[in-house]
Amino acid sequence: IEAYQEMLGCFAAGKKQEAKLTIAYTGPMEQQLLLAAVPVFHRVHPEIDVQLRQCSMAAIGEELENNECDIALAVHGEIRMKGCHHAEVLRRPICVAVSAEAALANEKMLTMEQLKKRRFVVLRPDASTRTSKLIHQWLISLGWQESMILYADNIESQLLMVSLGEGITLMPEGIYPPGIRLVPFADKENFVHRTEAVWKGKSSLCEEMIHLLQKEAQKCT
């Protein structure tokens, strides 16, 4: 009887462990996608507890590596761990984010020439593993002076600085706070934001959630 009860206890513990799916994400675009996909997942799997964790781009790889999440949603190329699966879940054109009170907010399109000599808000170089450094290098190569580049600790602070008129930045097409106005970017280069899902091992729940994320992203295209 004791052995039977011990077996049931192990089975219950294993079942409880399997009944949770944790997803880490970085920014508002991933959040909006999760808001659409998670309710659909719940209707199919009401027994699964889906937990969401927002973290910085610099830390999201550690979340996955330390098994603190099952799926990590991040900008393409941010998570470079070996032995992981990668799948693109979202692709959006990049726009110029400006304060809704700025003169640029009235423009239908903006070119790179119109943006030069304006203060640009980016994430601190240590706020991500790759993306923020690349953007900084790109701005310097286009002629931005270091004094015209402002740094934010995270995406929320970056958007707040833009809404207060401290500078401009680039953001993927999507829904943002009222103080932000997105203006299409008209330039010779094709700027595209790509979000990918990264996960370890093989899990049917992970794969099903990622399929739902991809499906919901297509509805918004």
Side-chain angles (χ1 to χ4, degrees), residues 12 17 30 39 73 97 105 133 165-166 169 193 210 218-219:
Q17 184 178 6
E30 293 77 24
L73 299 179
K133 298 181 183 70
E166 296 181 23
T169 194
H193 171 92
I210 291 163
Q218 289 176 357
K219 292 180 181 179

Side-chain angles (χ1 to χ4, degrees), residues 67-133:
N67 297 316
E68 295 177 1
C69 70
D70 301 297
I71 303 171
L73 299 179
V75 176
H76 173 75
E78 273 296 312
I79 300 176
R80 312 180 92 177
M81 291 168 46
K82 293 182 179 179
C84 288
H85 305 283
H86 298 254
E88 182 176 292
V89 296
L90 183 70
R91 185 184 287 248
R92 287 286 182 277
I94 290 179
C95 301
V96 183
V98 303
S99 168
E101 302 297 323
L104 290 179
N106 299 317
E107 298 288 338
K108 292 184 177 180
M109 283 193 170
L110 289 169
T111 64
M112 185 57 67
E113 286 302 317
Q114 290 174 283
L115 302 184
K116 287 185 176 178
K117 297 185 180 180
R118 296 181 183 273
R119 289 178 299 181
F120 211 102
V121 184
V122 300
L123 293 177
R124 290 196 335 257
D126 61 348
S128 75
T129 59
R130 179 172 176 265
T131 305
S132 57
K133 298 181 183 70

Side-chain angles (χ1 to χ4, degrees), residues 20 45 66 114 128 180 189:
K20 184 175 74 171
H45 297 286
N66 297 333
Q114 290 174 283
S128 75
I180 298 288
E189 297 183 59

Side-chain angles (χ1 to χ4, degrees), residues 5-162:
Q5 290 176 337
E6 184 179 355
M7 180 188 71
L8 289 180
C10 291
F11 175 75
K15 186 176 181 181
K16 185 177 180 181
Q17 184 178 6
E18 292 176 357
K20 184 175 74 171
L21 184 67
T22 303
I23 306 172
Y25 68 96
T26 54
M29 286 305 305
E30 293 77 24
Q31 185 182 63
Q32 291 167 30
L33 188 57
L34 287 165
L35 285 172
V38 170
V40 179
F41 184 85
H42 270 311
R43 287 197 290 270
V44 180
H45 297 286
E47 77 284 3
I48 304 298
D49 179 20
V50 179
Q51 299 185 357
L52 305 179
R53 298 168 61 93
Q54 185 175 19
C55 57
S56 68
M57 286 196 288
I60 196 165
E62 294 179 5
E63 293 273 319
L64 188 64
E65 188 173 9
N66 297 333
N67 297 316
E68 295 177 1
C69 70
D70 301 297
I71 303 171
L73 299 179
V75 176
H76 173 75
E78 273 296 312
I79 300 176
R80 312 180 92 177
M81 291 168 46
K82 293 182 179 179
C84 288
H85 305 283
H86 298 254
E88 182 176 292
V89 296
L90 183 70
R91 185 184 287 248
R92 287 286 182 277
I94 290 179
C95 301
V96 183
V98 303
S99 168
E101 302 297 323
L104 290 179
N106 299 317
E107 298 288 338
K108 292 184 177 180
M109 283 193 170
L110 289 169
T111 64
M112 185 57 67
E113 286 302 317
Q114 290 174 283
L115 302 184
K116 287 185 176 178
K117 297 185 180 180
R118 296 181 183 273
R119 289 178 299 181
F120 211 102
V121 184
V122 300
L123 293 177
R124 290 196 335 257
D126 61 348
S128 75
T129 59
R130 179 172 176 265
T131 305
S132 57
K133 298 181 183 70
L134 291 176
I135 292 175
H136 178 268
Q137 293 170 1
W138 174 68
L139 289 172
I140 294 297
S141 71
L142 291 174
W144 260 266
Q145 299 296 319
E146 190 65 47
S147 60
M148 297 297 289
I149 301 177
L150 307 180
Y151 295 96
D153 293 332
N154 49 52
I155 296 175
E156 287 74 18
S157 297
Q158 188 180 11
L159 290 171
L160 179 60
M161 292 170 70
V162 171

Side-chain angles (χ1 to χ4, degrees), residues 171-192:
M171 285 286 164
E173 184 179 84
I175 301 171
Y176 292 90
I180 298 288
R181 167 85 162 89
L182 290 186
V183 183
F185 194 79
D187 201 85
K188 293 180 181 178
E189 297 183 59
N190 185 22
F191 291 95
V192 176

